[in-house]
Amino acid sequence: MSDNSRASAATWSAPVPESERLDIAAFYEHVWRRRPMVWRGCGADFLAPSLDWERVAEVERLPVRELGAAEARLSPDRTVLFVNQAQHAMPELAAACVALAEEFGWEECTADLSVTREQGAGIGCHFDHSDNFVVQQQGSKSWRVGLPSDTAPRRQRARMLEAKGFVPSGTLPPEAPRVRLEPGDVLYLPLFAPHEGVESAAEEGSISVSFSYNARSALGSWMGPLMRRLSLEPEWWGPLPLDGPDRGGLSAALHRAFEDVLGQTGNRDGGDRAPVPTARPDSSPPPPAPDAD
């Protein structure tokens, strides 16, 4: 471990910061993508009313065909139920996602449902390419949390590029802070930060919902539109001469395309909170149609 890593680990041995009020402006300025945060009793700001065991039982009875784009996973011992993209199966979560996206300034918000029925049950230590807000609904859950810097850059890159076969298991530092969530508590987990949550009390069980904002990259947001825009530039779509490409022409056309694509959304003043652009036609005339044989 480098001296910088040791210093970071030493600094992060303190308890996770807590608040009893959700201040989104202060959150973006001081917490966003830097460190975890807990809001005590603020669950209603994310989802109200909270989910109860009867509602979970209704979801568990849904046939696969009624889950839509949601994906339910049940552990072999039936102690852990995880519903990915649960907003597609639960209208109350879909409504909450719309409201949160508007409130936080996101393009979209998704929701996952986690249900455990045994002390110590959970889905294991991992990290995500999303910023997550875990809202405890029923029972209690104990968490160990890390920082984004606890995940190596090469693994962050693999997660953002969604490399085939990549499994985002996480590695927590030995002195990772611990925090316990009770019903109504909210835990913010920054993207790339390793974390692990397990049920605290077997006699109750645990229900929690994670509201997530999936991070965007420039590659994912603009590579497609940029490629489509370049296909309108003769320097890029035309046949290359035998003596090689006109590097100046390619560079100028690339710059035009780049500025045109980015110009569709204006200056990005909110990090990842800008709309994903779509390509628009070039103002230059289209290439001439080939002569008929």
Side-chain angles (χ1 to χ4, degrees), residues 50-63:
S50 58
L51 302 180
D52 56 24
W53 286 103
E54 182 178 350
R55 182 67 180 106
V56 167
E58 292 175 358
V59 174
E60 290 177 315
R61 289 193 294 267
L62 287 176

Side-chain angles (χ1 to χ4, degrees), residues 25 28-29 32-33 104-107 213 222 262 265-275:
Y28 273 129
E29 183 176 358
W32 172 252
R33 294 187 173 169
F104 280 87
W106 302 332
E107 299 98 327
Y213 171 65
W222 289 313
L262 265 65
T265 55
N267 294 326
R268 304 190 70 188
D269 57 1
D272 283 325
R273 293 176 284 145

Side-chain angles (χ1 to χ4, degrees), residues 21 25 34 40 71 78 86 101 113 116 120 152-153 170 175 180 185 194 197 205 214-216 220 250 252 257 270:
R21 186 174 73 92
R34 296 178 179 87
R40 296 295 183 187
E71 181 183 1
R78 307 185 70 82
L113 172 67
T116 60
E175 300 301 322
R180 176 167 167 152
D185 292 341
N214 289 328
R216 270 65 171 167
L250 287 175

Side-chain angles (χ1 to χ4, degrees), residues 189-200:
L189 298 166
L191 83 166
F192 303 141
H195 53 272
E196 181 177 20
V198 299
E199 183 181 327
S200 301

